Amino acid sequence: MIPLISLVVPCYNESEAIAPFAATIIPLLEAIPETQWEIICVDDGSKDDTLAQLIALSQRDPRVRVIELSRNFGKEAAMTAGLDAARGDAVIPFDADMQDPPELIPEMLAAWRAGAEVVLARRVDRSTDSAMKRQTALAFYKLHNALSHTKIPENVGDFRLMDRVVVEALKTLPERQRFMKGLFAWVGFRTVTIDYVRRPRSAGQSKFSGFKLWNFALEGFTSFSTAPLKIWTYLGIAGALLALLYGVLILLRTLLLGNPVPGYASLFVAITFFGSVQLISIGLLGEYIGRIYMEAKQRPTYIIRKRHGD
């Protein structure tokens, strides 16, 4: 039986990228022998004419399906919607900006046909990203993998191939707050890795600001590790021991030297330092409690306004 390949493409304000994406990806998929394919484009509440272009593309080519979400739910939710709708024997998440080379898809399919259930695409050169983004990404991977039992492959994004059995496993995970890189790693399965050099965007600008990337990293830490909570427990124990030691020293000094009036500087530093530590620890607890609160509501990850091309 000829396998069906599903390409899942989340889109948010990608008006400039749709035409070059379609002109590149459709001929490439058509040139792959012994395969059928479909492209599932998920419009994540775009404010430009991205949706109109996607609908026009689906009308020209019935192999392109469009899922229109009711508003902007975020890339993780849009990708989840695409994975839920994908019918393929193998599924490939792909960005419309084509920073990830579509020419890698035939090589990924070859590895899949050879027995791999997951084929990762790893960036060996990220010179198209800013130095700050490269360093913060490296720090995130190092820190996350040090704190979590679920190890995320470094420099691997959403671009990957997954066998149908992997997609079905992902669909059983009930999280509403979805950190997809962690979920991809958590399900496991037989994995091979292919290296590539990342390109500049074909058009448009990145939708991830520094603040969004920070929140994304925080989501990763809190979704797959309780180590931050344990760290503050150990800091509290260390602080208590230091305070006890300092109390003993004060008692000995008082017994031996009397009770001179101490300066206020050390007292001010101690109060502000430990007060800050307490506020940070409360904030960290709030991050975890907030995620419990969001999960307890059991709201859907996304809402579909309309399907086009089905």
Side-chain angles (χ1 to χ4, degrees):
M1 186 177 68
I2 298 177
L4 174 65
I5 310 303
S6 296
L7 209 66
V8 173
V9 187
C11 299
Y12 178 66
N13 292 346
E14 294 288 2
S15 175
E16 298 176 10
I18 299 302
F21 164 76
T24 300
I25 201 70
I26 291 178
L28 184 145
L29 293 174
E30 288 178 335
I32 300 175
E34 299 181 357
T35 56
Q36 306 175 75
W37 54 269
E38 64 174 1
I39 301 176
I40 302 169
C41 299
V42 183
D43 180 70
D44 189 23
S46 297
K47 295 178 174 59
D48 57 12
D49 67 340
T50 296
L51 177 61
Q53 291 193 50
L54 293 175
I55 293 173
L57 179 60
S58 69
Q59 290 172 345
R60 293 194 303 269
D61 193 327
R63 296 168 296 186
V64 178
R65 294 191 285 140
V66 179
I67 297 174
E68 179 186 353
L69 300 186
S70 62
R71 64 170 177 83
N72 177 239
F73 286 89
K75 185 180 179 181
E76 308 295 277
M79 191 185 309
T80 300
L83 293 176
D84 289 344
R87 303 165 181 162
D89 302 293
V91 180
I92 304 173
F94 192 80
D95 290 339
D97 58 27
M98 290 195 297
Q99 279 193 282
D100 302 319
E103 294 82 7
L104 210 62
I105 292 176
E107 188 175 350
M108 298 169 83
L109 288 171
W112 172 62
R113 286 187 168 114
E117 292 167 319
V118 177
V119 184
L120 302 179
R122 179 172 58 196
R123 307 155 185 164
V124 294
D125 185 344
R126 299 187 61 168
S127 56
T128 56
D129 295 331
S130 66
M132 177 64 74
K133 187 173 182 179
R134 293 197 300 270
Q135 292 303 316
T136 53
L138 178 64
F140 166 74
Y141 286 119
K142 295 292 186 185
L143 184 57
H144 182 280
N145 290 341
L147 296 177
S148 175
H149 294 296
T150 302
K151 308 302 180 185
I152 298 177
E154 293 186 19
N155 293 316
V156 174
D158 298 322
F159 183 38
R160 64 189 67 211
L161 180 147
M162 295 175 288
D163 186 86
R164 167 51 54 184
V165 67
V166 181
V167 176
E168 292 300 324
L170 286 168
K171 289 166 66 174
T172 65
L173 302 181
E175 287 99 325
R176 270 73 176 175
Q177 301 288 106
R178 299 179 74 81
F179 178 64
M180 296 304 294
K181 286 184 178 65
L183 297 180
F184 290 150
W186 186 86
V187 296
F189 293 97
R190 292 193 300 270
T191 302
V192 300
T193 303
I194 299 174
D195 294 335
Y196 74 99
V197 176
R198 201 176 197 204
R199 301 172 175 174
R201 288 178 62 95
S202 62
Q205 296 179 344
S206 173
K207 310 306 183 296
F208 281 94
S209 63
F211 183 69
K212 286 184 178 179
L213 288 173
W214 164 253
N215 284 331
F216 187 65
L218 196 60
E219 187 72 44
F221 290 133
T222 55
S223 294
F224 286 89
S225 176
T226 57
L229 295 174
K230 295 178 182 178
I231 288 172
W232 288 109
T233 301
Y234 299 142
L235 286 175
I237 293 172
L241 291 175
L242 288 174
L244 179 61
L245 178 61
Y246 186 63
V248 172
L249 291 175
I250 292 296
L251 177 61
L252 292 175
R253 188 180 68 175
T254 301
L255 292 175
L256 296 176
L257 303 176
N259 186 26
V261 177
Y264 290 99
S266 59
L267 183 62
F268 173 78
V269 171
I271 291 174
T272 55
F273 173 75
F274 285 106
S276 299
V277 169
Q278 289 174 343
L279 288 175
I280 293 171
S281 62
I282 291 171
L284 183 62
L285 284 171
E287 290 290 340
Y288 280 93
I289 294 170
R291 279 155 178 75
I292 295 171
Y293 173 65
M294 296 304 293
E295 293 292 335
K297 290 181 178 182
Q298 296 188 350
R299 290 174 180 168
T301 305
Y302 58 87
I303 296 175
I304 295 176
R305 181 177 181 272
K306 195 172 182 180
R307 299 177 187 266
H308 305 270
D310 274 341

